[in-house]
Amino acid sequence: MFELTVRDRMMVAHSLPGDFFGPAQSLHGATYVVDARLRAAGLDVHGVVADIGALSVALRAVLGGLEYRNLDDEPDFAGMLTTTEVLARTVADRLADRILQGEVGVVDHVHEVEVVLHESDVASAGYRRELR
């Protein structure tokens, strides 16, 4: 199995209502280091999983739609808890949409997208999905 990973960052604000979340119930900022990984059983005609630059641009576009926003005010997250897991799924789904629209080139051989959001050097959460 081949993998290609690109990394970026995003800063957001949000709150997580409910006693379960302790001090995170209040509005707070979060800075995530974001890894986006593609998996493929083979390589394309250029000997790569995908174009690293194009994948980086696609990830930046997805993160740019979330960055520096208070997620509590975003209609896409109305009625949802914006946990790290939920954000990882959101980024993975939006990135998959961009990949399927051809923004990363021809990637017929790629079958899986995984996104991991690192909250710190010791804690992260992720989401993995089939591309098609």
Side-chain angles (χ1 to χ4, degrees):
M1 189 70 57
F2 294 96
E3 294 183 349
L4 170 65
T5 304
V6 297
R7 176 173 278 185
D8 205 333
R9 291 172 175 75
M10 75 171 171
M11 293 186 283
V12 299
H14 66 155
S15 60
L16 297 168
D19 291 340
F20 177 82
F21 293 104
Q25 293 178 70
S26 301
L27 183 64
H28 62 279
T31 300
Y32 295 104
V33 173
V34 181
D35 289 332
R37 180 171 294 116
L38 303 183
R39 289 191 176 90
L43 302 174
D44 72 5
V45 297
H46 305 288
V48 298
V49 172
D51 180 322
I52 291 173
L55 182 58
S56 296
V57 168
L59 178 59
R60 170 76 337 240
V62 170
L63 299 181
L66 299 168
E67 195 165 43
Y68 298 116
R69 299 184 194 283
N70 180 347
L71 301 181
D72 296 348
D73 297 337
E74 292 296 310
D76 287 350
F77 297 110
M80 296 173 63
L81 291 171
T82 52
T83 61
T84 304
E85 291 86 345
V86 167
L87 293 176
R89 181 184 62 205
T90 299
V91 172
D93 287 346
R94 291 180 182 183
L95 183 60
D97 288 345
R98 288 179 173 274
I99 292 167
L100 292 171
Q101 292 170 14
E103 291 187 26
V104 180
V106 178
V107 290
D108 294 337
H109 59 291
V110 174
H111 64 85
E112 192 173 272
V113 175
E114 180 181 18
V115 170
V116 177
L117 273 61
H118 302 271
E119 294 189 51
S120 71
D121 62 327
V122 296
S124 62
Y127 184 77
R128 185 171 61 184
R129 59 161 280 175
E130 294 293 320
L131 187 56
R132 291 170 181 76

